Amino acid sequence: MTKNVNITMIGTGYVGLVSGACFAALGHRVTCIDKDKTKIEKLERAEIPIYEAKLKELVDENLSKKQLFFTTELKAAVDTADVIFVAVGTPSCPVTGKADLQYVEGLARELAPLLQQYKVIVLKSTVPIGTGQRFKKIILQINPSAKFDMVSNPEFLREGSAVKDFMNPDRIVIGSESEPSRQLMNSIYDSFLQQQIPILHTDIESSELIKYAANCFLATKIAFINEIADLCEETEANIESVTKGLGLDKRIGPGYLEPGPGFGGSCFPKDTLALIQVAETLASPLSVVESVVQSNENRKKKMIQKILHICGGNILQKRLAILGVAFKANTDDIRESSAMVIIQGLQKLGAKLRIYDPAAMEKAALELPGVEWASTALDAMKEAEVVVIITEWQEFKNLKFNHFKNANKKPIVIDLRNLYDLNEMQKLGISYHSIGRPAVRNLVDIPVPVEG
Ligand code: UDX
């Protein structure tokens, strides 16, 4: 039977805010807490600091229903909670790639004296294997009589579809060590249990590892298909047919087989490095994941070389339109975005860049001096000799390139996300290069055979 649980969510970053709002929507009473007073004041007015579909509506609705609260007061939020979720950041150390646990461990020290009555503490942040046990140890060292159980409950939310992913999970993973904590977690996810969504109960360490292994596996699929796409380009094969043929094998599955400019974002690059680090420390190296990281690094350089090659080996002073800086569509996030690396590489080679992205330009502008920003995709393409598509926004998919139909000079289109139909581009007479598919050459590009 559904039991409404008092939840305190510590950290109102991406994971904390989305999870907090969604738990409230499931009927629980949720208090989200953050040290940042200004952020909390904004959230109380349903001003959302991140770009995420449906999140504002959810926060708005649950604030007015009094299911969702925001505060900076840790003690009061702990006192009223049955379950305390930890969703503070675990950034990568820029030198070692190791997950930086200062916020997680700092929180354990802050919570320790406040645990007078039984609480369940759930680590939702992505943390290296053993962090749950370490969290417990820190608390018990400070307060040996603290009453609590530790649980690991990783998230599998994708930016841009995080609310949808939360509400329609493939599975829920819960790592725990006691029956009361397991029961409480089942109550939190009861509506998913009713829908027959698998809830996997494990030990804490396995749950921590599932999260990393899932992200590393998905990253491996992407790096793999990117290299297969390269191979297609060296043959007459077409990556679209190849991925279809692969994905129909149920053992492989169709997801995460879209070739592109390399994976980015706040998770795959960070989590692959963090797991490699953990594995190294335990003398159990992950050579597959190591080569995935290497392959993804090479990918960005390869994309720069590809563009240079298509442009005849020289892009000095060439006018290039760049469509997309976000690491993927439906987000304004540019963290570890392949687009940023590719743009910087093209800049170094002397290209004149005019860039457009529907959401991420403000963030990117801070890191990309010396480029021109356009107000629309068409505006970016106005004078361009070459158009490079790096992010797969729907808005770019909808571009028809019809307006170039009768133009004397058409830009070369280099599509790093395979957004357009080869036949359509052929009909428009546009030189079109994509990933792992045959190039479409404009008739004027094809040398006339010499007679005799
Ligand atoms: C990822 C995981 O999917 C999610 O479960 C986890 O909790 C957080 O990390 P996210 O970083 O939001 O989510 O992005 P995702 O949609 O998974 O894409 C990651 C990167 O891989 C993007 O750069 C994307 O463009 C790239 N990608 C994805 C591909 O190149 N090809 C694909 O087929 C899929």
Side-chain angles (χ1 to χ4, degrees), residues 155-160 165 211 215 218 222 225-226 255-268 271 327-329 338 392 417:
E155 53 80 25
F156 302 98
L157 311 176
R158 286 166 301 173
E159 286 186 27
D165 287 352
K211 167 67 199 224
N215 274 357
L218 294 171
I222 299 168
I225 207 64
N226 282 341
Y256 285 72
L257 287 179
E258 278 172 28
F263 59 77
S266 66
C267 293
F268 287 178
D271 294 350
F327 82 95
K328 64 171 188 177
S338 296
E392 74 284 20
R417 294 284 187 169

PDB file of all heavy atoms in Angstrom, residues 155-160 165 211 215 218 222 225-226 255-268 271 327-329 338 392 417, ligand 1:
ATOM      1  N   GLU A 155      20.716   7.241  -9.638  1.00  0.00           N
ATOM      2  CA  GLU A 155      19.754   7.746 -10.622  1.00  0.00           C
ATOM      3  C   GLU A 155      20.255   7.422 -12.022  1.00  0.00           C
ATOM      4  O   GLU A 155      21.451   7.268 -12.231  1.00  0.00           O
ATOM      5  CB  GLU A 155      19.551   9.258 -10.444  1.00  0.00           C
ATOM      6  CG  GLU A 155      20.834  10.093 -10.442  1.00  0.00           C
ATOM      7  CD  GLU A 155      21.408  10.376 -11.811  1.00  0.00           C
ATOM      8  OE1 GLU A 155      20.630  10.361 -12.783  1.00  0.00           O
ATOM      9  OE2 GLU A 155      22.627  10.607 -11.915  1.00  0.00           O
ATOM     10  N   PHE A 156      19.307   7.320 -12.953  1.00  0.00           N
ATOM     11  CA  PHE A 156      19.672   7.049 -14.355  1.00  0.00           C
ATOM     12  C   PHE A 156      18.996   8.075 -15.256  1.00  0.00           C
ATOM     13  O   PHE A 156      18.404   7.733 -16.281  1.00  0.00           O
ATOM     14  CB  PHE A 156      19.260   5.620 -14.738  1.00  0.00           C
ATOM     15  CG  PHE A 156      19.881   4.559 -13.864  1.00  0.00           C
ATOM     16  CD1 PHE A 156      19.166   4.010 -12.812  1.00  0.00           C
ATOM     17  CD2 PHE A 156      21.190   4.137 -14.063  1.00  0.00           C
ATOM     18  CE1 PHE A 156      19.735   3.043 -11.984  1.00  0.00           C
ATOM     19  CE2 PHE A 156      21.767   3.173 -13.250  1.00  0.00           C
ATOM     20  CZ  PHE A 156      21.045   2.622 -12.200  1.00  0.00           C
ATOM     21  N   LEU A 157      19.048   9.332 -14.840  1.00  0.00           N
ATOM     22  CA  LEU A 157      18.314  10.388 -15.550  1.00  0.00           C
ATOM     23  C   LEU A 157      19.169  11.019 -16.634  1.00  0.00           C
ATOM     24  O   LEU A 157      20.326  11.353 -16.387  1.00  0.00           O
ATOM     25  CB  LEU A 157      17.896  11.488 -14.561  1.00  0.00           C
ATOM     26  CG  LEU A 157      17.208  11.022 -13.280  1.00  0.00           C
ATOM     27  CD1 LEU A 157      16.955  12.217 -12.373  1.00  0.00           C
ATOM     28  CD2 LEU A 157      15.915  10.304 -13.621  1.00  0.00           C
ATOM     29  N   ARG A 158      18.569  11.200 -17.796  1.00  0.00           N
ATOM     30  CA  ARG A 158      19.280  11.915 -18.858  1.00  0.00           C
ATOM     31  C   ARG A 158      18.868  13.374 -18.841  1.00  0.00           C
ATOM     32  O   ARG A 158      17.678  13.677 -18.703  1.00  0.00           O
ATOM     33  CB  ARG A 158      18.922  11.324 -20.233  1.00  0.00           C
ATOM     34  CG  ARG A 158      19.548   9.995 -20.510  1.00  0.00           C
ATOM     35  CD  ARG A 158      18.889   9.346 -21.697  1.00  0.00           C
ATOM     36  NE  ARG A 158      17.460   9.163 -21.448  1.00  0.00           N
ATOM     37  CZ  ARG A 158      16.590   8.731 -22.361  1.00  0.00           C
ATOM     38  NH1 ARG A 158      16.997   8.451 -23.586  1.00  0.00           N
ATOM     39  NH2 ARG A 158      15.315   8.570 -22.069  1.00  0.00           N
ATOM     40  N   GLU A 159      19.825  14.252 -18.998  1.00  0.00           N
ATOM     41  CA  GLU A 159      19.498  15.669 -19.098  1.00  0.00           C
ATOM     42  C   GLU A 159      18.561  15.855 -20.285  1.00  0.00           C
ATOM     43  O   GLU A 159      18.723  15.216 -21.317  1.00  0.00           O
ATOM     44  CB  GLU A 159      20.766  16.510 -19.315  1.00  0.00           C
ATOM     45  CG  GLU A 159      21.600  16.631 -18.078  1.00  0.00           C
ATOM     46  CD  GLU A 159      22.771  17.583 -18.271  1.00  0.00           C
ATOM     47  OE1 GLU A 159      22.700  18.502 -19.097  1.00  0.00           O
ATOM     48  OE2 GLU A 159      23.779  17.371 -17.566  1.00  0.00           O
ATOM     49  N   GLY A 160      17.618  16.752 -20.124  1.00  0.00           N
ATOM     50  CA  GLY A 160      16.695  17.021 -21.227  1.00  0.00           C
ATOM     51  C   GLY A 160      15.453  16.165 -21.158  1.00  0.00           C
ATOM     52  O   GLY A 160      14.400  16.547 -21.642  1.00  0.00           O
ATOM     53  N   ASP A 165      12.292  10.460 -17.609  1.00  0.00           N
ATOM     54  CA  ASP A 165      13.062   9.269 -17.216  1.00  0.00           C
ATOM     55  C   ASP A 165      12.730   8.864 -15.780  1.00  0.00           C
ATOM     56  O   ASP A 165      12.618   7.679 -15.464  1.00  0.00           O
ATOM     57  CB  ASP A 165      14.575   9.537 -17.317  1.00  0.00           C
ATOM     58  CG  ASP A 165      15.049   9.593 -18.766  1.00  0.00           C
ATOM     59  OD1 ASP A 165      14.258   9.274 -19.657  1.00  0.00           O
ATOM     60  OD2 ASP A 165      16.218   9.975 -18.991  1.00  0.00           O
ATOM     61  N   LYS A 211      25.618   1.707 -11.179  1.00  0.00           N
ATOM     62  CA  LYS A 211      25.528   3.031 -11.802  1.00  0.00           C
ATOM     63  C   LYS A 211      26.728   3.302 -12.717  1.00  0.00           C
ATOM     64  O   LYS A 211      26.589   3.694 -13.869  1.00  0.00           O
ATOM     65  CB  LYS A 211      25.426   4.094 -10.697  1.00  0.00           C
ATOM     66  CG  LYS A 211      25.641   5.510 -11.148  1.00  0.00           C
ATOM     67  CD  LYS A 211      24.527   5.993 -12.056  1.00  0.00           C
ATOM     68  CE  LYS A 211      24.950   7.190 -12.843  1.00  0.00           C
ATOM     69  NZ  LYS A 211      24.013   8.243 -12.942  1.00  0.00           N
ATOM     70  N   ASN A 215      26.823   3.449 -17.014  1.00  0.00           N
ATOM     71  CA  ASN A 215      27.317   4.576 -17.815  1.00  0.00           C
ATOM     72  C   ASN A 215      28.537   4.183 -18.650  1.00  0.00           C
ATOM     73  O   ASN A 215      28.675   4.615 -19.794  1.00  0.00           O
ATOM     74  CB  ASN A 215      27.638   5.773 -16.905  1.00  0.00           C
ATOM     75  CG  ASN A 215      26.398   6.622 -16.658  1.00  0.00           C
ATOM     76  OD1 ASN A 215      25.342   6.334 -17.202  1.00  0.00           O
ATOM     77  ND2 ASN A 215      26.524   7.648 -15.861  1.00  0.00           N
ATOM     78  N   LEU A 218      27.283   2.143 -21.663  1.00  0.00           N
ATOM     79  CA  LEU A 218      26.664   2.990 -22.693  1.00  0.00           C
ATOM     80  C   LEU A 218      27.738   3.777 -23.450  1.00  0.00           C
ATOM     81  O   LEU A 218      27.685   3.905 -24.677  1.00  0.00           O
ATOM     82  CB  LEU A 218      25.641   3.941 -22.054  1.00  0.00           C
ATOM     83  CG  LEU A 218      24.410   3.246 -21.444  1.00  0.00           C
ATOM     84  CD1 LEU A 218      23.568   4.234 -20.643  1.00  0.00           C
ATOM     85  CD2 LEU A 218      23.570   2.582 -22.530  1.00  0.00           C
ATOM     86  N   ILE A 222      28.766   3.692 -27.560  1.00  0.00           N
ATOM     87  CA  ILE A 222      28.914   4.874 -28.429  1.00  0.00           C
ATOM     88  C   ILE A 222      30.306   4.889 -29.087  1.00  0.00           C
ATOM     89  O   ILE A 222      30.423   5.093 -30.294  1.00  0.00           O
ATOM     90  CB  ILE A 222      28.677   6.177 -27.636  1.00  0.00           C
ATOM     91  CG1 ILE A 222      27.259   6.201 -27.071  1.00  0.00           C
ATOM     92  CG2 ILE A 222      28.923   7.412 -28.506  1.00  0.00           C
ATOM     93  CD1 ILE A 222      27.021   7.287 -26.041  1.00  0.00           C
ATOM     94  N   ILE A 225      30.414   2.247 -31.811  1.00  0.00           N
ATOM     95  CA  ILE A 225      29.686   2.531 -33.062  1.00  0.00           C
ATOM     96  C   ILE A 225      30.371   3.670 -33.824  1.00  0.00           C
ATOM     97  O   ILE A 225      30.359   3.690 -35.053  1.00  0.00           O
ATOM     98  CB  ILE A 225      28.182   2.793 -32.803  1.00  0.00           C
ATOM     99  CG1 ILE A 225      27.370   2.412 -34.041  1.00  0.00           C
ATOM    100  CG2 ILE A 225      27.881   4.226 -32.411  1.00  0.00           C
ATOM    101  CD1 ILE A 225      27.395   0.970 -34.414  1.00  0.00           C
ATOM    102  N   ASN A 226      30.996   4.590 -33.097  1.00  0.00           N
ATOM    103  CA  ASN A 226      31.719   5.664 -33.787  1.00  0.00           C
ATOM    104  C   ASN A 226      32.865   5.084 -34.628  1.00  0.00           C
ATOM    105  O   ASN A 226      33.096   5.514 -35.762  1.00  0.00           O
ATOM    106  CB  ASN A 226      32.276   6.672 -32.775  1.00  0.00           C
ATOM    107  CG  ASN A 226      31.197   7.623 -32.268  1.00  0.00           C
ATOM    108  OD1 ASN A 226      30.154   7.773 -32.892  1.00  0.00           O
ATOM    109  ND2 ASN A 226      31.441   8.265 -31.144  1.00  0.00           N
ATOM    110  N   GLY A 255      19.638   0.836 -28.584  1.00  0.00           N
ATOM    111  CA  GLY A 255      19.966   2.125 -27.951  1.00  0.00           C
ATOM    112  C   GLY A 255      21.455   2.443 -27.948  1.00  0.00           C
ATOM    113  O   GLY A 255      22.302   1.546 -28.016  1.00  0.00           O
ATOM    114  N   TYR A 256      21.773   3.711 -27.918  1.00  0.00           N
ATOM    115  CA  TYR A 256      23.162   4.193 -27.799  1.00  0.00           C
ATOM    116  C   TYR A 256      24.062   3.669 -28.904  1.00  0.00           C
ATOM    117  O   TYR A 256      25.218   3.331 -28.686  1.00  0.00           O
ATOM    118  CB  TYR A 256      23.701   3.919 -26.388  1.00  0.00           C
ATOM    119  CG  TYR A 256      23.090   4.922 -25.428  1.00  0.00           C
ATOM    120  CD1 TYR A 256      21.762   4.816 -25.069  1.00  0.00           C
ATOM    121  CD2 TYR A 256      23.812   6.012 -24.985  1.00  0.00           C
ATOM    122  CE1 TYR A 256      21.154   5.772 -24.279  1.00  0.00           C
ATOM    123  CE2 TYR A 256      23.217   6.978 -24.181  1.00  0.00           C
ATOM    124  CZ  TYR A 256      21.882   6.842 -23.839  1.00  0.00           C
ATOM    125  OH  TYR A 256      21.278   7.804 -23.077  1.00  0.00           O
ATOM    126  N   LEU A 257      23.483   3.601 -30.096  1.00  0.00           N
ATOM    127  CA  LEU A 257      24.270   3.185 -31.261  1.00  0.00           C
ATOM    128  C   LEU A 257      24.230   4.273 -32.325  1.00  0.00           C
ATOM    129  O   LEU A 257      24.367   3.987 -33.502  1.00  0.00           O
ATOM    130  CB  LEU A 257      23.726   1.870 -31.831  1.00  0.00           C
ATOM    131  CG  LEU A 257      24.015   0.601 -31.025  1.00  0.00           C
ATOM    132  CD1 LEU A 257      23.387  -0.616 -31.703  1.00  0.00           C
ATOM    133  CD2 LEU A 257      25.517   0.361 -30.843  1.00  0.00           C
ATOM    134  N   GLU A 258      23.982   5.508 -31.887  1.00  0.00           N
ATOM    135  CA  GLU A 258      23.981   6.588 -32.886  1.00  0.00           C
ATOM    136  C   GLU A 258      25.365   7.202 -32.958  1.00  0.00           C
ATOM    137  O   GLU A 258      25.860   7.742 -31.973  1.00  0.00           O
ATOM    138  CB  GLU A 258      22.953   7.648 -32.510  1.00  0.00           C
ATOM    139  CG  GLU A 258      21.564   7.246 -32.949  1.00  0.00           C
ATOM    140  CD  GLU A 258      20.501   8.179 -32.439  1.00  0.00           C
ATOM    141  OE1 GLU A 258      20.816   9.363 -32.228  1.00  0.00           O
ATOM    142  OE2 GLU A 258      19.376   7.700 -32.239  1.00  0.00           O
ATOM    143  N   PRO A 259      25.995   7.118 -34.140  1.00  0.00           N
ATOM    144  CA  PRO A 259      27.335   7.686 -34.239  1.00  0.00           C
ATOM    145  C   PRO A 259      27.275   9.200 -34.189  1.00  0.00           C
ATOM    146  O   PRO A 259      26.256   9.793 -34.535  1.00  0.00           O
ATOM    147  CB  PRO A 259      27.820   7.201 -35.594  1.00  0.00           C
ATOM    148  CG  PRO A 259      26.573   7.012 -36.390  1.00  0.00           C
ATOM    149  CD  PRO A 259      25.510   6.590 -35.425  1.00  0.00           C
ATOM    150  N   GLY A 260      28.333   9.809 -33.746  1.00  0.00           N
ATOM    151  CA  GLY A 260      28.339  11.266 -33.648  1.00  0.00           C
ATOM    152  C   GLY A 260      29.736  11.806 -33.386  1.00  0.00           C
ATOM    153  O   GLY A 260      30.736  11.108 -33.654  1.00  0.00           O
ATOM    154  N   PRO A 261      29.796  13.008 -32.817  1.00  0.00           N
ATOM    155  CA  PRO A 261      31.114  13.632 -32.612  1.00  0.00           C
ATOM    156  C   PRO A 261      31.797  13.209 -31.312  1.00  0.00           C
ATOM    157  O   PRO A 261      32.770  13.826 -30.900  1.00  0.00           O
ATOM    158  CB  PRO A 261      30.755  15.121 -32.568  1.00  0.00           C
ATOM    159  CG  PRO A 261      29.375  15.145 -32.001  1.00  0.00           C
ATOM    160  CD  PRO A 261      28.691  13.904 -32.493  1.00  0.00           C
ATOM    161  N   GLY A 262      31.292  12.164 -30.660  1.00  0.00           N
ATOM    162  CA  GLY A 262      31.881  11.726 -29.390  1.00  0.00           C
ATOM    163  C   GLY A 262      30.959  12.113 -28.249  1.00  0.00           C
ATOM    164  O   GLY A 262      30.285  13.124 -28.308  1.00  0.00           O
ATOM    165  N   PHE A 263      30.940  11.280 -27.201  1.00  0.00           N
ATOM    166  CA  PHE A 263      30.046  11.571 -26.074  1.00  0.00           C
ATOM    167  C   PHE A 263      30.625  12.667 -25.189  1.00  0.00           C
ATOM    168  O   PHE A 263      31.832  12.835 -25.088  1.00  0.00           O
ATOM    169  CB  PHE A 263      29.737  10.303 -25.260  1.00  0.00           C
ATOM    170  CG  PHE A 263      30.948   9.613 -24.665  1.00  0.00           C
ATOM    171  CD1 PHE A 263      31.588  10.102 -23.540  1.00  0.00           C
ATOM    172  CD2 PHE A 263      31.434   8.441 -25.240  1.00  0.00           C
ATOM    173  CE1 PHE A 263      32.681   9.446 -22.986  1.00  0.00           C
ATOM    174  CE2 PHE A 263      32.536   7.774 -24.697  1.00  0.00           C
ATOM    175  CZ  PHE A 263      33.159   8.294 -23.567  1.00  0.00           C
ATOM    176  N   GLY A 264      29.693  13.428 -24.587  1.00  0.00           N
ATOM    177  CA  GLY A 264      30.106  14.481 -23.653  1.00  0.00           C
ATOM    178  C   GLY A 264      29.127  14.529 -22.506  1.00  0.00           C
ATOM    179  O   GLY A 264      28.484  13.538 -22.186  1.00  0.00           O
ATOM    180  N   GLY A 265      29.024  15.700 -21.872  1.00  0.00           N
ATOM    181  CA  GLY A 265      28.079  15.863 -20.769  1.00  0.00           C
ATOM    182  C   GLY A 265      28.725  15.720 -19.418  1.00  0.00           C
ATOM    183  O   GLY A 265      29.936  15.513 -19.301  1.00  0.00           O
ATOM    184  N   SER A 266      27.888  15.773 -18.395  1.00  0.00           N
ATOM    185  CA  SER A 266      28.440  15.798 -17.042  1.00  0.00           C
ATOM    186  C   SER A 266      28.659  14.399 -16.488  1.00  0.00           C
ATOM    187  O   SER A 266      29.187  14.247 -15.393  1.00  0.00           O
ATOM    188  CB  SER A 266      27.491  16.563 -16.119  1.00  0.00           C
ATOM    189  OG  SER A 266      26.291  15.836 -16.014  1.00  0.00           O
ATOM    190  N   CYS A 267      28.227  13.356 -17.207  1.00  0.00           N
ATOM    191  CA  CYS A 267      28.309  12.010 -16.614  1.00  0.00           C
ATOM    192  C   CYS A 267      29.281  11.056 -17.300  1.00  0.00           C
ATOM    193  O   CYS A 267      30.203  10.558 -16.658  1.00  0.00           O
ATOM    194  CB  CYS A 267      26.925  11.386 -16.577  1.00  0.00           C
ATOM    195  SG  CYS A 267      25.845  12.244 -15.436  1.00  0.00           S
ATOM    196  N   PHE A 268      29.084  10.775 -18.594  1.00  0.00           N
ATOM    197  CA  PHE A 268      29.912   9.739 -19.220  1.00  0.00           C
ATOM    198  C   PHE A 268      31.414  10.037 -19.091  1.00  0.00           C
ATOM    199  O   PHE A 268      32.185   9.168 -18.676  1.00  0.00           O
ATOM    200  CB  PHE A 268      29.527   9.543 -20.692  1.00  0.00           C
ATOM    201  CG  PHE A 268      28.219   8.830 -20.910  1.00  0.00           C
ATOM    202  CD1 PHE A 268      27.722   8.623 -22.188  1.00  0.00           C
ATOM    203  CD2 PHE A 268      27.482   8.351 -19.839  1.00  0.00           C
ATOM    204  CE1 PHE A 268      26.514   7.971 -22.398  1.00  0.00           C
ATOM    205  CE2 PHE A 268      26.268   7.704 -20.027  1.00  0.00           C
ATOM    206  CZ  PHE A 268      25.790   7.519 -21.322  1.00  0.00           C
ATOM    207  N   ASP A 271      32.294   9.714 -15.288  1.00  0.00           N
ATOM    208  CA  ASP A 271      32.116   8.395 -14.683  1.00  0.00           C
ATOM    209  C   ASP A 271      33.072   7.353 -15.268  1.00  0.00           C
ATOM    210  O   ASP A 271      33.519   6.453 -14.552  1.00  0.00           O
ATOM    211  CB  ASP A 271      30.656   7.932 -14.831  1.00  0.00           C
ATOM    212  CG  ASP A 271      29.716   8.820 -14.020  1.00  0.00           C
ATOM    213  OD1 ASP A 271      30.204   9.637 -13.218  1.00  0.00           O
ATOM    214  OD2 ASP A 271      28.489   8.705 -14.203  1.00  0.00           O
ATOM    215  N   PHE A 327      26.145  19.698 -25.471  1.00  0.00           N
ATOM    216  CA  PHE A 327      26.726  18.352 -25.644  1.00  0.00           C
ATOM    217  C   PHE A 327      25.750  17.376 -26.267  1.00  0.00           C
ATOM    218  O   PHE A 327      26.139  16.316 -26.758  1.00  0.00           O
ATOM    219  CB  PHE A 327      27.298  17.819 -24.324  1.00  0.00           C
ATOM    220  CG  PHE A 327      26.290  17.198 -23.382  1.00  0.00           C
ATOM    221  CD1 PHE A 327      26.065  15.825 -23.377  1.00  0.00           C
ATOM    222  CD2 PHE A 327      25.590  17.980 -22.481  1.00  0.00           C
ATOM    223  CE1 PHE A 327      25.155  15.238 -22.499  1.00  0.00           C
ATOM    224  CE2 PHE A 327      24.664  17.405 -21.609  1.00  0.00           C
ATOM    225  CZ  PHE A 327      24.448  16.040 -21.624  1.00  0.00           C
ATOM    226  N   LYS A 328      24.476  17.763 -26.236  1.00  0.00           N
ATOM    227  CA  LYS A 328      23.436  17.014 -26.958  1.00  0.00           C
ATOM    228  C   LYS A 328      22.233  17.936 -27.040  1.00  0.00           C
ATOM    229  O   LYS A 328      22.259  19.050 -26.482  1.00  0.00           O
ATOM    230  CB  LYS A 328      23.087  15.712 -26.234  1.00  0.00           C
ATOM    231  CG  LYS A 328      22.483  15.946 -24.854  1.00  0.00           C
ATOM    232  CD  LYS A 328      21.963  14.655 -24.272  1.00  0.00           C
ATOM    233  CE  LYS A 328      21.183  14.932 -22.997  1.00  0.00           C
ATOM    234  NZ  LYS A 328      20.600  13.741 -22.422  1.00  0.00           N
ATOM    235  N   ALA A 329      21.166  17.481 -27.694  1.00  0.00           N
ATOM    236  CA  ALA A 329      19.986  18.344 -27.851  1.00  0.00           C
ATOM    237  C   ALA A 329      19.204  18.466 -26.547  1.00  0.00           C
ATOM    238  O   ALA A 329      19.393  17.662 -25.623  1.00  0.00           O
ATOM    239  CB  ALA A 329      19.086  17.761 -28.937  1.00  0.00           C
ATOM    240  N   SER A 338      31.626  17.889 -27.076  1.00  0.00           N
ATOM    241  CA  SER A 338      32.563  17.716 -28.193  1.00  0.00           C
ATOM    242  C   SER A 338      32.569  18.970 -29.052  1.00  0.00           C
ATOM    243  O   SER A 338      33.593  19.342 -29.630  1.00  0.00           O
ATOM    244  CB  SER A 338      32.160  16.527 -29.054  1.00  0.00           C
ATOM    245  OG  SER A 338      32.256  15.358 -28.317  1.00  0.00           O
ATOM    246  N   GLU A 392      22.260  17.659 -32.167  1.00  0.00           N
ATOM    247  CA  GLU A 392      21.116  17.128 -32.940  1.00  0.00           C
ATOM    248  C   GLU A 392      19.773  17.768 -32.554  1.00  0.00           C
ATOM    249  O   GLU A 392      18.765  17.087 -32.388  1.00  0.00           O
ATOM    250  CB  GLU A 392      21.073  15.594 -32.783  1.00  0.00           C
ATOM    251  CG  GLU A 392      20.583  15.049 -31.447  1.00  0.00           C
ATOM    252  CD  GLU A 392      21.572  15.144 -30.309  1.00  0.00           C
ATOM    253  OE1 GLU A 392      22.529  15.940 -30.355  1.00  0.00           O
ATOM    254  OE2 GLU A 392      21.372  14.414 -29.323  1.00  0.00           O
ATOM    255  N   ARG A 417      25.814  14.477 -37.029  1.00  0.00           N
ATOM    256  CA  ARG A 417      24.758  13.744 -36.297  1.00  0.00           C
ATOM    257  C   ARG A 417      23.810  12.991 -37.224  1.00  0.00           C
ATOM    258  O   ARG A 417      22.748  12.538 -36.781  1.00  0.00           O
ATOM    259  CB  ARG A 417      23.937  14.721 -35.459  1.00  0.00           C
ATOM    260  CG  ARG A 417      24.686  15.387 -34.329  1.00  0.00           C
ATOM    261  CD  ARG A 417      24.888  14.458 -33.152  1.00  0.00           C
ATOM    262  NE  ARG A 417      25.457  15.167 -32.020  1.00  0.00           N
ATOM    263  CZ  ARG A 417      25.548  14.662 -30.813  1.00  0.00           C
ATOM    264  NH1 ARG A 417      25.128  13.441 -30.562  1.00  0.00           N
ATOM    265  NH2 ARG A 417      26.087  15.344 -29.839  1.00  0.00           N
TER     266      ARG A 417
HETATM  267  C1  UDX B   1      23.771   9.999 -19.021  1.00  0.00           C
HETATM  268  C2  UDX B   1      23.035   8.665 -18.801  1.00  0.00           C
HETATM  269  O1  UDX B   1      22.291   8.330 -19.960  1.00  0.00           O
HETATM  270  C3  UDX B   1      22.121   8.741 -17.588  1.00  0.00           C
HETATM  271  O2  UDX B   1      21.506   7.487 -17.352  1.00  0.00           O
HETATM  272  C4  UDX B   1      23.000   9.127 -16.400  1.00  0.00           C
HETATM  273  O3  UDX B   1      22.293   9.140 -15.220  1.00  0.00           O
HETATM  274  C5  UDX B   1      23.666  10.463 -16.665  1.00  0.00           C
HETATM  275  O4  UDX B   1      24.465  10.340 -17.845  1.00  0.00           O
HETATM  276  P1  UDX B   1      23.244  12.369 -20.081  1.00  0.00           P
HETATM  277  O5  UDX B   1      24.639  12.722 -19.746  1.00  0.00           O
HETATM  278  O6  UDX B   1      22.160  13.343 -19.772  1.00  0.00           O
HETATM  279  O7  UDX B   1      22.818  10.992 -19.360  1.00  0.00           O
HETATM  280  O8  UDX B   1      23.196  12.120 -21.637  1.00  0.00           O
HETATM  281  P2  UDX B   1      22.893  10.957 -22.688  1.00  0.00           P
HETATM  282  O9  UDX B   1      21.618  11.251 -23.357  1.00  0.00           O
HETATM  283  O10 UDX B   1      23.046   9.607 -22.116  1.00  0.00           O
HETATM  284  O11 UDX B   1      24.084  11.240 -23.743  1.00  0.00           O
HETATM  285  C6  UDX B   1      25.441  11.305 -23.342  1.00  0.00           C
HETATM  286  C7  UDX B   1      26.327  11.618 -24.513  1.00  0.00           C
HETATM  287  O12 UDX B   1      26.363  10.544 -25.441  1.00  0.00           O
HETATM  288  C8  UDX B   1      25.880  12.833 -25.333  1.00  0.00           C
HETATM  289  O13 UDX B   1      27.017  13.578 -25.719  1.00  0.00           O
HETATM  290  C9  UDX B   1      25.197  12.226 -26.543  1.00  0.00           C
HETATM  291  O14 UDX B   1      25.230  13.080 -27.673  1.00  0.00           O
HETATM  292  C10 UDX B   1      26.050  11.000 -26.765  1.00  0.00           C
HETATM  293  N1  UDX B   1      25.329   9.909 -27.463  1.00  0.00           N
HETATM  294  C11 UDX B   1      24.279   9.285 -26.891  1.00  0.00           C
HETATM  295  C12 UDX B   1      25.785   9.501 -28.729  1.00  0.00           C
HETATM  296  O15 UDX B   1      26.754  10.054 -29.275  1.00  0.00           O
HETATM  297  N2  UDX B   1      25.153   8.460 -29.336  1.00  0.00           N
HETATM  298  C13 UDX B   1      24.083   7.800 -28.787  1.00  0.00           C
HETATM  299  O16 UDX B   1      23.568   6.863 -29.416  1.00  0.00           O
HETATM  300  C14 UDX B   1      23.638   8.235 -27.524  1.00  0.00           C
END
